[in-house]
Amino acid sequence: MLSVSDTEAIILNLLQPLDNRHDLEVVDLLAAVGRILATPITSNLDFPHWDNSAMDGYAVRYEDVQHASTEQPTVLEIVEEIPAGYQPEYTIQQGQAARIFTGALMPQGADTVVMQEMTYREDNRVCILAAPKPQEFVRYKASFYQAGTQLLPARIKLNAQEIAVLAAAQCPQVSVYRRPRVAILSTGNELVTPDKPLEAGQIVDSNQYALAALVKQSGAEPLMLGIVKDEPIALQEAIAHAIANADIVLSSGGVSVGDYDYIEQILESLGATIHIRAVAMRPGKPLTVATFPNATRPVVYFGLPGNPASVLVTYWRFVHSAIKKLSGVAGGWEASFIKVRSQDELRANGKRETYVWGRLHLIDKAYKFHKACGNDSSGNLINLAQTNAIAMIPVGKTLIFPGEEVLVLPVNN
Ligand code: AMP
Ligand code: MG
């Protein structure tokens, strides 16, 4: 059985990021939120585009005011008022100043802004009550960014701050990677869709919805292929269809050792290479990962266990990273654990890497991990609601004491 970290490494090696020639889309700026930038951005604008004031105050020549003080204020003549968005008309000469507002263009001749609070106004004169520093409160042209250099690198996720930069650089449209397509299918004779009344022995196919929601949260496009019976022919057809239409296929159920668990043999009949069959992990031991060397496009198949908690945990631990790498993001694909103290006692059998779900709570400005209440069977979906982290108990450890440090993987972000 493979260790969890070897499994993660094998999975990440099976995936190559989307191609920066073929897998692109051009989208409107606001539609680019959360997408992965495909090409580096360069602007032919300088930032700031003009020398402008960082304060409401007076634009002055530094040499005129360098000795100003409360005892001996420097008195300057105000020749003009410059609100933001206006072009100054005068060149500031010795002994002169312009009233200026934040963001307004600096007038010729002036090199420094004295903030309003350091001045006293008398009609068309201003008394400067303190010497500024040279060039103080002027945002000089190109002091933040020089035209022609790189503004944003490719392969970053576009959040609000990058969208703002793109808007400022006058990019109304952006080239982004297409969303990875992820086919989802649920296997099991006992499964029904959520709208059907339950007959004896039936259960609702919640995994289909869990996985579609997870895939959306990872920035990919779910392709919901529905429920497939535990029948080899139906399964083979459904899986072949999924492989032909997606970059990643996620199935749940049918990967255990039961008599109706057919996934592995069907994958083999479709020419798959099986890279992973079982992982030393709890929940999530029966995990199948396969690729198709003869397929026209690269596809990675994840046969997830059927238990609802196993589906979520294996997705958070492995599939999210896989989608992240495929999506074009430059790096940092591996699951990012943080070290926090556990509020509760956490138990494991010591034989497999164990994941316990719960919540990170902020207590005195530090996160603490609380285990979810209720039955933590991997068949119990109910107490997964409102969890936002999974704590990892390593192989060889059977107990984490309250107050002890534990590695935790935050989820839903
Ligand atoms: P399996 O791996 O197919 O043996 O399924 C393991 C357990 O997970 C069984 O109790 C199934 O009923 C349950 N299960 C399988 N698929 C789903 C699903 N799509 N939604 C909810 N529970 C499921
Ligand atoms: Mg089953």
Side-chain angles (χ1 to χ4, degrees), residues 187-188 190 230 253-254 261:
T187 72
E190 74 279 31
D230 292 315
D261 295 331

Side-chain angles (χ1 to χ4, degrees), residues 355-375:
Y355 286 83
V356 179
W357 47 96
R359 261 193 96 69
L360 284 170
H361 278 292
L362 256 185
I363 300 171
D364 294 335
K365 298 195 168 26
Y367 278 115
K368 287 218 166 132
F369 180 78
H370 283 257
K371 183 177 179 301
C373 307
N375 186 320

